[in-house]
Amino acid sequence: MSRVEEFEDLRPLLFSIAYRLLGSVSEAEDAVQETWLRHELSPTRPVSAKAFLSAVVTRVSIDVLRSARVRREEYVGPWFPEPLLTDPYEDPERSAELADSLSMASLLLLERLSPLERAVFVLREVFAFGFPEIASTVGRSEAACRQLAVRARRHMDAGRPRFEADRREREVLAERFFDAIQEGDVEGLRELLAADVSLVADSGGKAPRWAGGFYGADHVSRVLAAVFPPFTRIGGVLEPHPLNGQPGAVLRDREGKVLNTWTLDILDGRIQTIRSMSNPDKLGHMGPVADAWAVLRETQQVGRAVAGWPAELTGPPEGAPAAEAGHESAADR
């Protein structure tokens, strides 16, 4: 097997490691490419390509993660990982661990760990690497890596939500939720939402984001039921689609461009959290990105003419560009 064939065979694994460490599709792809360059330039072929390439992509990702943490401290609003449609790596023996580690909730918990804790946890708990391999990868002793693994596992277990075991039950609940949204069914939505449900968005300051989020079943159901009928009336489309191994959806404008994505955390038969990704910088890997401000203006124009349009949605969302926030469009006047 040539080096190229060897590398391509392991590419899905390398991407999956890098994505879980970085929470970014684009950065994970860059880390995999850098790994290939180092492999190509290596004067000797390693005994184990899997061990060598996994170690390289992990080290590259740790370096990126350390610099990214500074950028994320300056990030505007909540920071969420980039949505992932499908995980390219499959391992039937570890399917449960792979799916759980891919969820938005788990990736956000990983953000709380130090880069080394995160690397050790991902390699050990998700991909089942041995401690000798992990120690060589991160440049620590086996004993130190075991301590890092224990500490990381303790942090993850303390904060990790326990999702419903039955995937089909989650899918059915999500189907009912998306149907109720598009029908503007407030009561139907309220039955599916946890009492303390939260609807939060990552816009990065580059897309509409209302006031930092909505909270509580009554509030969230009322907002969703009011917004979606006008959105669909202007040609907007909601496409249910699993994201990060959990129920979710991709929202598109009338031209089919990606507007945002939603992921649902489901626990105890209710939706606990709805996370919206609207930052255009984090949606480009999914295709052409829509003009969210234009879609918002048009949706507001239709929505304001409908009885029951929420008062908090009458003005520009938090983070709107100055030109948008200070003036109505000609269509609004």
Side-chain angles (χ1 to χ4, degrees):
M1 183 180 293
S2 69
R3 285 200 185 198
V4 173
E5 293 171 329
E6 197 172 53
F7 180 83
E8 290 301 325
D9 188 52
L10 290 166
R11 181 187 287 273
L13 170 64
L14 303 179
F15 174 85
S16 293
I17 292 172
Y19 176 76
R20 284 165 174 80
L21 291 176
L22 298 170
S24 166
V25 172
S26 56
E27 289 179 347
E29 290 173 343
D30 288 345
V32 171
Q33 183 61 26
E34 176 64 23
T35 299
W36 160 248
L37 293 176
R38 296 188 186 187
H39 182 47
E40 185 181 34
L41 294 174
S42 177
T44 59
R45 295 187 67 169
V47 175
S48 169
K50 178 182 177 181
F52 173 78
L53 293 172
S54 298
V56 173
V57 81
T58 299
R59 292 172 192 147
V60 171
S61 297
I62 288 174
D63 289 341
V64 174
L65 185 59
R66 284 170 171 156
S67 62
R69 291 172 85 89
V70 176
R71 296 197 304 273
R72 290 172 190 175
E73 289 174 0
E74 302 172 350
Y75 197 79
V76 177
W79 182 94
F80 298 156
E82 291 181 13
L84 186 66
L85 289 171
T86 57
D87 185 0
Y89 179 72
E90 297 181 359
D91 181 350
E93 294 183 1
R94 303 196 63 79
S95 59
E97 292 88 346
L98 289 168
D100 182 63
S101 66
L102 199 62
S103 72
M104 284 286 177
S106 292
L107 291 172
L108 287 170
L109 280 175
L110 283 171
E111 283 290 308
R112 303 180 185 180
L113 306 181
S114 71
L116 283 182
E117 288 174 338
R118 188 165 181 167
V120 170
F121 181 87
V122 167
L123 292 176
R124 179 63 181 175
E125 299 297 324
V126 180
F127 296 99
F129 280 80
F131 279 111
E133 292 173 287
I134 296 172
S136 175
T137 296
V138 302
R140 297 291 188 275
S141 67
E142 288 186 41
C145 287
R146 290 179 187 276
Q147 291 179 340
L148 287 167
V150 169
R151 191 157 61 238
R153 192 182 306 117
R154 187 185 306 123
H155 287 312
M156 294 295 289
D157 288 344
R160 177 183 291 153
R162 300 301 176 184
F163 298 109
E164 295 284 357
D166 191 326
R167 179 176 294 274
R168 181 55 188 161
E169 286 184 14
R170 294 203 309 268
E171 292 173 351
V172 169
L173 191 150
E175 288 172 8
R176 292 173 58 198
F177 172 71
F178 291 129
D179 286 344
I181 283 179
Q182 296 181 85
E183 293 168 4
D185 182 358
V186 176
E187 292 303 319
L189 286 168
R190 191 177 289 120
E191 292 178 1
L192 302 174
L193 302 175
D196 59 349
V197 65
S198 60
L199 167 56
V200 286
D202 175 345
S203 71
K206 299 180 180 182
R209 183 175 67 90
W210 284 295
F214 300 107
Y215 304 89
D218 290 340
H219 197 188
V220 171
S221 60
R222 182 170 57 86
V223 168
L224 292 178
V227 170
F228 268 82
F231 172 67
T232 56
R233 199 174 303 170
I234 67 169
V237 176
L238 184 152
E239 296 179 354
H241 195 293
L243 293 166
N244 291 81
Q246 300 294 324
V250 179
L251 279 69
R252 301 180 184 274
D253 68 4
R254 66 166 64 90
E255 297 176 353
K257 295 180 179 179
V258 179
L259 181 65
N260 59 30
T261 63
W262 282 17
T263 52
L264 310 179
D265 287 354
I266 298 174
L267 179 67
D268 297 330
R270 293 289 185 274
I271 296 170
Q272 306 287 329
T273 308
I274 305 166
R275 294 188 179 89
S276 171
M277 172 57 70
S278 57
N279 185 341
D281 294 345
K282 296 185 177 184
L283 296 172
H285 64 283
M286 302 181 70
V289 179
D291 181 345
W293 298 109
V295 173
L296 171 62
R297 285 196 303 270
E298 198 171 351
T299 301
Q300 284 181 326
Q301 182 183 0
V302 174
R304 286 168 179 160
V306 177
W309 181 259
E312 62 266 50
L313 304 186
T314 57
E318 179 181 333
E324 304 286 354
H327 301 88
E328 290 184 317
S329 67
D332 289 335
R333 287 196 290 271

